[in-house]
């Protein structure tokens, strides 16, 4: 029998390339910038220009856009956090605002703290109320600085970005180089943009006071990418040859990346009629032996579930990503949530083996497809990756060296050539490991039929016989046995921080960065804290987790959902009941300050703390951008923070 | 498609497992025709993949000696499409019932034809749900009494041939399992057709359909090949497809004289080796270009 990659079970773990976990450092100065405008005002491109310009000067960034499901109009609020030490989240507080329209100026000026500043086109906008004390109004006389803006209003964005570079303490070289590459095909546009940027840069030098925090250029190189693009590229580098999807926010950018790169990378990329077709095609391709992947959001994933069970019983490797958005049903399509865990556990009827992985950061999105493919192929199972809108649509800078890797490929036991043996081939052979060598269709002398009905080792159905409890049980047991080694194959979670801390923050998936930062803030506030983040949700590393939490004084579970889906999972798997819960289901991601306040509430006796995003001065009943003029809030007006 | 010039013995496609259909079920004829056609075309069992959904008819891959998949109810075509795209060197045949293909799987059926994947689709149309013991099907005639339409079917009857033609299918045929030689010829042409080929087969359910029986079909069917029908004439073919009364046509109803290329022949990734045989690695220079796009 021709076997590839047969390895002793014990050595399994080495096959996953432990990603060089990025160094977490939070000592360098940072600035958080908010760019706001209506859809169509160029918020995203202004933000992108800023991030790339700073990245080329060695400064890292994390970005997250809060937006509405409208194509034009509405309000879009992009938060960018910059520091020479890579930021792990959007942070707590905006230091500078670029307001591209009046609505943004009115909404967000009041969030600024003393020392903060707001940049806007003084010829078009003016504040509707007095700025909070110590906040600098930076009105740019855009028509004078950039006459071209009269024809092309978006030029105001370049002026503002130029001004901000000055105020951040950076030279303009990074911005110039980005403008050059962005408009490479139009030299005249490059020139007018560079002039506009320079005019803003010089005007800011002469007229505004820079904030106390200044950034310094470094030699570090940074790439900037969204979690979705990193999923796609990570999958391609892990050997994904077949990608199929149906558009659904917030997963669509994965399909678009694949479509754009299909020809160059020789990947078959198809958009098809619905998610039922998507997953069945993906499994069809996986069955033939290619690495095959698909992605969707919760609604699409719901349509996929019957076929996930098919992959379970016919033992076909396939990888499906569910980029979670706020549910149920259509829910809030442009908002983030971690509430599809129950759906992933329960996807499809019957008992079968699946792996569920929730990457911890955008950079981890790059690494996860290779782990998913390796475990899917080795164990011949479906693998579900749970991402969310925050991680998939947000973006961060990544050390390009972490992307320039060759992933190890573990195909498990695959048969592609005749073996010359007289023994009949059994596709579902009852082996000690439960893993049956998989002959790819097309291989001579290994004919078999894979059935979604229960079948015997040779693939022949046993579902239509009068009864056959012995063989039925044998086959279920064979498939279950595959999982005896899988927890060893997947790296166990590790505790960050002192083992004897007062508080253990326990999270899963995308909340990793915010929890790292919150733990640091709590330590600074004198609350000794450690942190455990779970990436492999099924199978759960029960032994390791129980050992860690057994030593924990107070475990607080943080999750971006209403009902505590992970808390219930932990309790079901380990019997551990957490001491407190911090939850959020208002559509916006956690910020470190929410966790800090929530932990204090738990320490004061609360069991479940529901967090509501509410900037200082925000009214909790504020209208959305599409429903008429922004009423505005007055600074000092009472705001409800934690319910 | 790996077609050897020499015909092989039909027995090579016959497995040890005998079909467990009711004695007299039309599906036996459908299966026998497949043995004959694949043998006549000289196909290698290891180069054939038969994919079905769920139903009596969908049990067929278990009774055919090749690679096979007995997938989900209604999902044979998406599965077969993914399989064909992944390994274009295989001959892929999808099989199933009227409920499977024209009921729960109808959207996939239309889209597969629009997409024009090189798969031959054989539908055992017994105008009833057999496996679930006799409920109404999309191809059940109006007025037909079944377990779930005790007062007679109120709904109209789906016409798969006309639907296929409207959906851009380049090969539209109908056979009758009571006419095995004729059926075999249709299979041969369908498998050789480069692109999606539909062969709808009248395959009587002797247990649950007491209306559309062998004698019922025998009285009505006539072969278009024995008339002056020109299958390349779309409008004439549509007239035949819509014919459903005292006389019902079987045979090659429509063949597009200028067929669209199939999706597997167009996709840029499938121009060289079959996807499954392409290497996994991406050259370091390409990788660096990809990273550079983010900088
Ligand atoms: C999702 C799903 N719904 C329903 C069924 C039950 N079911 C099995 S076969 C079948 C209909 C079979 O009819 P047809 O496809 O015409 O095949 P036949 O048995 O007539 O050959 C149904 C409804 C199922 N297996 N899966
Ligand atoms: S129930 Fe009908 S379709 Fe099913 S095997 Fe019997 S005769 Fe054939
Ligand atoms: Mg039927």
């Amino acid at each position: 029998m021709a076997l590839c990659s047969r390895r002793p079970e014990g050595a399994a773990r080495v096959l996953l390339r432990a990603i060089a976990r990025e160094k977490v450092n939070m000592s360098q100065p940072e600035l958080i910038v908010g760019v706001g405008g209506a859809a169509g005002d160029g918020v995203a491109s202004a933000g992108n220009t800023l991030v790339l310009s700073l990245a080329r000067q060695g400064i890292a960034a994390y970005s997250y856009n809060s937006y509405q499901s409208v194509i034009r109009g509405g309000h879009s609020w992009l938060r960018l956090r910059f520091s020479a030490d890579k930021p792990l989240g959007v942070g707590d507080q905006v230091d500078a605002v670029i307001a591209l329209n009046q609505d943004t100026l009115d909404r967000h000026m009041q969030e600024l703290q003393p020392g903060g500043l707001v940049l806007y086109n003084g010829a078009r906008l003016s504040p509707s109320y007095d700025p909070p004390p110590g906040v600098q109004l930076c009105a740019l006389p855009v028509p004078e600085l950039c006459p071209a803006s009269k024809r092309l209003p978006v030029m105001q964005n370049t002026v503002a970005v130029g001004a901000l570079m000055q105020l951040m303490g950076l030279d303009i070289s990074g911005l110039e180089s980005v403008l050059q590459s962005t408009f490479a095909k139009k030299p005249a546009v490059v020139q007018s943009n560079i002039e506009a940027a320079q005019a803003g840069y010089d005007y800011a030098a002469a007229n505004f006071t820079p904030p106390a925090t200044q950034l310094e250029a470094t030699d570090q190189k940074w790439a900037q990418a969204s979690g979705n693009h990193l999923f796609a590229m990570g999958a391609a580098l892990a050997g994904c040859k077949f990608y199929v999807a149906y558009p659904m926010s917030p997963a669509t950018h994965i399909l678009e990346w694949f479509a754009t790169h299909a020809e160059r990378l020789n990947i078959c990329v198809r958009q098809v009629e619905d998610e039922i077709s998507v997953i069945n095609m993906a499994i069809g391709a996986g069955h033939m032996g290619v690495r095959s992947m698909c992605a969707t959001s919760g609604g699409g994933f719901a349509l996929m579930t019957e076929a996930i069970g098919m992959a379970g019983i016919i033992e076909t490797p396939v990888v499906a990503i569910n980029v979670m958005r706020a549910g149920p049903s259509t829910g809030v399509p442009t908002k983030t949530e971690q509430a599809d865990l129950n759906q992933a556990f329960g996807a499809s009827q019957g008992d079968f083996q699946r792996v569920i992985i929730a990457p911890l950061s955008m950079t981890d999105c790059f690494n996860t497809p290779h782990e998913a493919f390796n475990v899917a192929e080795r164990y011949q199972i479906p693998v579900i990756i749970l991402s969310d809108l925050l991680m998939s649509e947000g973006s961060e800078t990544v050390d390009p060296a972490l992307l320039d890797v060759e992933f190890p490929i573990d195909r498990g036991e695959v048969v592609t050539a005749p073996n010359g043996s007289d023994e009949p081939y059994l596709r579902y052979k009852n082996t000690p490991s439960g893993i049956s060598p998989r002959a790819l269709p097309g291989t001579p002398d290994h004919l078999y039929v894979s059935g979604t009905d229960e079948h015997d080792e040779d693939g022949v159905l046993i579902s239509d016989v009068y009864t056959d409890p012995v063989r039925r049980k044998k086959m279920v047991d064979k498939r279950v046995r595959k999982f005896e080694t899988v927890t060893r194959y997947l790296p166990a979670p590790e505790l960050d921080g002192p083992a004897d801390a007062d508080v253990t923050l326990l999270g899963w998936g995308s909340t990793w960065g915010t929890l790292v930062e919150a733990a640091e803030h709590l330590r600074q506030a004198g609350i000794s804290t450690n942190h455990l983040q779970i990436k492999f949700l099924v199978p759960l590393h029960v032994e390791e987790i129980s050992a860690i939490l057994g030593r924990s004084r107070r475990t607080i579970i943080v999750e971006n959902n209403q009902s505590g889906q992970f808390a219930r999972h932990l309790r079901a798997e380990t019997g551990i009941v957490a001491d407190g819960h911090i939850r959020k289901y208002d559509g916006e991601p956690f910020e470190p300050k929410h966790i800090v306040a929530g932990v204090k509430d738990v320490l004061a006796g609360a069991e479940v703390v529901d967090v509501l995003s509410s900037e200082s001065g925000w009214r909790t009943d504020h209208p959305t951008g599409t429903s008429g003029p922004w009423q505005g809030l007055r600074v000092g007006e009472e705001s409800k923070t934690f319910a | 498609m790996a077609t050897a010039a020499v015909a092989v013995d039909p027995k090579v496609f016959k497995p040890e497992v005998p079909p467990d259909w009711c004695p007299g079920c039309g599906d036996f004829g459908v299966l026998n025709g497949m043995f004959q056609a694949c043998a006549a075309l000289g196909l290698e069992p290891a180069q054939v993949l038969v994919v079905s959904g769920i139903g009596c008819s969908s049990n067929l891959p278990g009774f055919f000696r090749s690679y096979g998949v007995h997938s989900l109810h209604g999902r044979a075509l998406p599965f077969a499409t993914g399989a064909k795209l992944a390994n274009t060197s295989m001959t892929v045949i999808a099989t199933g019932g009227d409920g499977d293909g024209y009921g729960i799987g109808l959207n996939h059926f239309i889209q597969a034809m629009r997409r024009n994947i090189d798969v031959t689709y054989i539908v055992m149309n017994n105008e009833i749900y057999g496996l679930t013991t006799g409920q109404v099907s999309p191809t059940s005639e109006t007025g037909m009494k079944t377990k779930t339409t005790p007062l007679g079917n109120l709904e109209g009857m789906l016409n798969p041939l006309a639907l296929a033609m409207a959906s851009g299918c380049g090969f539209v045929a109908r056979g009758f399992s009571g006419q095995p030689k004729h059926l075999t010829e249709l299979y041969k042409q369908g498998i050789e057709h480069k692109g999606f080929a539909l062969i709808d087969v009248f395959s009587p359910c002797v247990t649950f359909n007491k209306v559309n029986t062998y004698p019922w079909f025998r009285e009505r069917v006539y072969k278009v090949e024995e008339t002056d029908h020109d299958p390349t004439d779309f409008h004439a073919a549509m007239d035949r497809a819509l014919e459903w009364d005292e006389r019902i046509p079987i045979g090659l109803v429509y063949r597009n004289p200028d067929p669209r290329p199939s999706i597997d022949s167009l996709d840029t990734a499938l121009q060289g080796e079959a996807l499954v045989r392409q290497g996994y690695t991406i050259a370091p220079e390409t990788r660096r270009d990809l990273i550079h796009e983010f900088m």
Side-chain angles (χ1 to χ4, degrees):
Chain A
M1 188 154 298
L3 296 180
C4 307
S5 343
R6 192 195 259 285
R7 287 181 179 82
E9 295 303 320
R13 196 187 288 185
V14 301
L15 292 169
L16 294 186
R17 177 184 171 279
I19 193 161
R21 171 69 71 83
E22 288 170 290
K23 255 205 352 249
V24 175
N25 217 335
M26 288 177 278
S27 58
Q28 290 297 312
E30 63 169 37
L31 278 170
I32 304 179
V33 178
V35 185
D41 278 345
V43 171
S45 66
N48 201 42
T49 304
L50 251 175
V51 171
L52 283 178
S53 306
L54 271 82
R56 289 187 192 179
Q57 288 176 266
I59 290 162
Y62 184 105
S63 358
Y64 180 68
N65 194 6
S66 287
Y67 65 104
Q68 292 171 240
S69 196
V70 293
I71 306 303
R72 281 278 175 276
H75 181 55
S76 172
W77 177 234
L78 175 65
R79 282 205 283 172
L80 308 161
R81 188 179 188 192
F82 296 107
S83 172
D85 285 336
K86 180 171 164 166
L88 304 178
V90 281
D92 284 325
Q93 176 63 49
V94 177
D95 301 305
V97 170
I98 296 181
L100 300 179
N101 64 1
Q102 187 67 38
D103 180 48
T104 303
L105 189 58
D106 292 347
R107 274 173 196 263
H108 296 289
M109 183 175 75
Q110 59 206 336
E111 287 167 35
L112 290 164
Q113 297 289 308
L117 57 90
V118 53
L119 285 152
Y120 56 95
N121 180 351
R124 279 184 49 220
L125 315 178
S126 66
S128 322
Y129 51 90
D130 292 338
V135 169
Q136 186 182 184
L137 293 178
C138 302
L140 293 157
V142 171
E144 285 163 41
L145 298 174
C146 173
S149 69
K150 286 174 212 148
R151 270 180 303 106
L152 223 105
V154 288
M155 294 289 289
Q156 69 169 3
N157 301 7
T158 311
V159 177
V161 169
L164 189 64
M165 300 301 285
Q166 167 68 251
L167 294 170
M168 287 176 142
L170 294 165
D171 69 42
I172 202 167
S173 63
L175 176 55
E176 276 179 4
S177 103
V178 171
L179 292 172
Q180 256 149 8
S181 43
T182 307
F183 303 110
K185 293 199 184 98
K186 306 172 201 153
V189 182
V190 173
Q191 199 43 42
S192 60
N193 271 280
I194 288 180
E195 282 166 15
Q198 188 70 49
Y201 190 82
D202 295 342
Y203 187 84
N207 297 283
F208 307 143
T209 319
T213 306
Q214 296 282 282
L215 300 179
E216 230 174 275
T218 77
D219 293 335
Q220 173 66 46
K221 295 260 177 298
W222 293 109
Q224 191 228 182
S226 68
N228 273 344
H229 285 167
L230 291 166
F231 268 137
M233 182 175 152
L237 293 182
C240 179
K241 296 296 287 177
F242 189 78
Y243 184 82
V244 58
Y246 184 80
M248 186 168 189
S249 291
T252 309
H253 294 131
I254 304 178
L255 174 59
E256 289 173 356
W257 190 95
F258 270 109
T260 311
H261 293 84
E263 186 177 7
R264 168 133 201 228
L265 302 178
N266 244 36
I267 297 172
C268 182
V269 180
R270 309 261 22 115
Q271 177 185 323
V272 300
E273 60 270 24
D274 58 29
E275 289 85 353
I276 301 179
S277 190
V278 164
I279 186 76
N280 282 280
M281 273 190 207
I283 295 170
H287 189 77
M288 302 307 275
V290 304
R291 289 196 151 187
S292 161
M293 187 171 93
C294 56
T296 182
S297 189
F301 188 73
L303 293 182
M304 293 184 176
T305 55
E306 188 190 16
I308 301 270
M310 167 166 73
I313 194 165
I314 69 172
E315 304 194 45
T316 292
V318 69
V319 175
I321 302 177
N322 174 358
V323 183
M324 298 177 285
R325 68 191 208 190
S329 193
T330 308
V332 198
T334 59
K335 296 294 158 195
T336 199
E337 203 162 79
Q338 293 182 301
D340 292 358
L341 194 50
N342 286 347
Q343 185 181 204
F345 294 148
S348 217
Q349 66 274 24
D351 286 324
F352 65 95
Q353 287 55 53
R354 76 195 80 193
V355 163
I356 303 176
I357 314 178
L360 305 186
S361 69
M362 293 149 194
T363 305
D364 201 27
C365 290
F366 174 74
N367 195 46
T368 299
H370 110 268
E371 297 170 319
F373 279 127
N374 282 358
V375 74
E377 285 212 289
R378 184 181 181 84
Y379 290 93
Q380 304 176 20
I381 49 167
V383 174
I384 300 163
I385 296 175
L386 285 181
S387 179
D388 52 33
L389 185 139
L390 167 69
M391 192 154 60
S392 271
E393 290 201 338
S395 61
E396 68 179 18
T397 46
V398 188
D399 181 349
L402 289 179
L403 306 180
D404 195 12
V405 293
E406 220 154 275
F407 289 125
I409 288 180
D410 179 6
R411 301 218 53 196
E413 298 182 32
V414 171
V415 183
T416 55
N419 53 12
S421 136
D422 290 338
E423 239 184 83
Y425 168 71
L426 299 176
R427 167 64 187 94
Y428 299 106
K429 193 179 165 111
N430 187 20
T431 59
S433 69
I435 299 171
S436 320
R438 179 167 71 113
L440 304 185
T443 308
D445 304 338
H446 287 77
L447 304 182
Y448 62 89
V449 176
S450 287
T452 57
D453 283 65
E454 187 60 280
H455 41 258
D456 201 356
E457 295 178 58
D458 56 3
V460 173
L461 306 195
I462 59 172
S463 55
D464 290 347
V465 297
Y466 150 61
T467 183
D468 199 340
V470 174
R471 282 193 294 175
R472 157 66 176 172
K473 182 168 186 306
K474 172 184 77 176
M475 295 311 286
V476 174
D477 289 343
K478 176 201 104 71
R479 291 189 296 265
V480 169
R481 207 157 54 242
K482 297 196 287 190
F483 251 37
E484 285 175 3
T485 54
V486 75
T487 29
R488 262 185 285 147
Y489 189 70
L490 304 170
E494 284 169 22
L495 187 73
D496 277 337
D500 61 345
D502 284 333
V503 168
T504 299
L505 291 178
L506 175 57
W508 61 278
S510 68
T511 54
W512 172 74
T514 302
L515 293 190
V516 169
E517 201 176 336
E520 184 58 36
H521 291 191
L522 284 162
R523 283 191 285 266
Q524 283 164 13
I527 301 171
S528 90
T529 306
N530 58 29
H531 169 208
L532 183 65
Q533 194 76 9
I534 308 298
K535 172 172 178 175
F536 297 98
L537 294 155
V538 174
L540 202 64
H541 289 86
V542 168
E543 262 175 57
E544 293 88 343
I545 292 170
S546 299
I548 292 169
L549 296 183
R551 287 190 295 271
S552 162
R553 298 217 178 112
R554 203 179 270 97
T555 298
I556 300 177
I557 299 180
V558 180
E559 49 188 323
N560 220 172
N561 62 48
Q562 184 274 330
S563 65
Q565 299 186 6
F566 176 76
R568 192 178 302 127
H569 181 48
L570 181 77
R571 186 172 174 170
E573 293 291 317
T574 66
I576 294 173
V577 181
D579 302 283
H581 305 269
I582 304 175
R583 297 184 189 152
K584 196 168 193 292
Y585 48 94
D586 60 356
E588 296 298 331
F590 280 110
E591 294 170 21
K593 66 181 179 216
H594 300 139
I595 312 297
V596 171
V599 167
K600 288 180 179 166
D601 284 354
V602 170
L603 292 179
E607 197 184 317
V608 181
V609 181
D610 285 336
V611 176
L612 184 68
S613 269
S614 173
E615 299 309 328
S616 55
W618 271 27
R619 276 186 4 199
T620 49
D621 59 344
H622 67 79
T624 65
T626 42
S627 58
W630 166 244
Q631 301 302 306
L633 294 165
R634 301 298 165 257
V635 172
E637 213 172 322
E638 197 46 41
S639 76
K640 235 168 85 192
T641 41
F642 304 114
Chain B
M1 192 177 59
T3 314
V6 218
V8 296
D9 188 339
K11 280 205 201 79
V12 305
F13 295 101
K14 233 180 226 172
E16 283 153 28
V17 184
D20 57 3
W21 292 309
C22 306
C25 174
D27 297 350
F28 285 100
V30 173
L31 176 65
N32 280 328
M34 284 176 64
F35 296 149
Q36 302 298 332
C38 291
L41 293 173
L43 300 180
E44 218 353 273
Q47 286 303 308
V48 178
L49 179 77
V50 183
V51 183
S52 71
I54 297 291
C56 293
S57 43
S58 289
N59 287 346
L60 186 141
F63 317 132
F64 190 86
R65 194 175 158 272
S66 71
Y67 281 100
V69 180
H70 186 186
S71 78
L72 295 171
H73 191 35
R75 315 304 166 202
L77 286 175
F79 195 111
T81 301
K84 178 70 184 184
L85 292 170
N87 190 346
T88 39
S89 67
M90 301 278 287
T91 298
V92 179
I93 301 171
T95 63
D98 43 316
D100 198 66
Y102 306 148
I104 190 168
L106 183 71
N107 187 15
H108 306 315
F109 172 56
I110 297 169
Q111 307 278 357
M113 293 187 285
R114 184 180 69 76
R115 189 168 291 131
N116 198 22
I117 180 77
D118 187 15
V119 165
T120 305
Y121 189 31
I122 299 170
V123 182
M124 287 156 261
N125 185 354
N126 53 15
E127 293 153 61
I128 196 86
Y129 281 20
L131 189 69
T132 46
T133 71
Q135 299 81 15
V136 70
S137 144
T139 52
S140 298
E141 283 184 73
T142 306
M144 182 173 173
K145 288 187 176 169
T146 70
K147 281 187 181 165
T148 49
T149 54
L151 304 180
N153 181 16
L154 300 179
E155 300 185 5
M157 182 186 181
L158 185 132
N159 183 325
L161 304 194
L163 178 63
M165 289 183 60
S167 307
C169 183
F171 184 102
V172 181
R174 182 193 275 144
F176 173 36
S177 68
Q179 302 266 14
K181 285 220 179 76
H182 179 245
L183 189 57
T184 301
E185 282 313 306
L186 295 177
Y187 288 161
K188 278 162 58 184
Q189 295 174 54
I191 292 168
E192 289 205 302
H193 174 74
K194 183 82 193 112
F196 191 92
L198 170 69
I199 303 153
D200 179 79
V201 188
F202 291 139
S203 178
C205 170
V206 294
T207 309
F208 295 111
N209 190 334
K210 303 298 185 194
V211 177
N212 310 103
T213 58
Y214 280 102
W216 190 92
F217 284 114
R218 255 189 219 111
E219 263 171 37
R220 289 166 175 79
V221 298
Y222 73 94
K223 299 193 185 93
V224 291
E225 287 82 359
E226 291 169 0
T227 70
D228 61 359
H229 176 59
D230 173 7
T232 63
D233 178 341
F234 183 88
H235 296 283
M238 194 52 113
D239 287 342
R240 298 283 173 169
L242 295 171
E243 210 176 325
W244 188 273
D245 46 41
E246 299 309 293
R247 279 163 57 78
I248 299 173
I250 59 171
L252 177 56
V253 171
Y254 177 63
R255 179 202 280 275
N256 188 337
D258 183 19
R260 285 180 300 128
S262 65
I263 188 75
D264 39 288
S265 68
L266 292 172
D267 192 293
T268 54
L270 309 180
Q271 299 306 308
E273 275 272 40
L275 215 50
V276 67
R277 282 189 285 278
Q278 293 180 15
Y280 270 10
T281 38
I282 286 177
E285 311 82 71
T286 312
R287 187 170 69 222
R288 276 164 214 142
D289 286 349
L290 297 177
I291 297 168
H292 203 76
E293 290 174 16
F294 295 139
M295 298 180 74

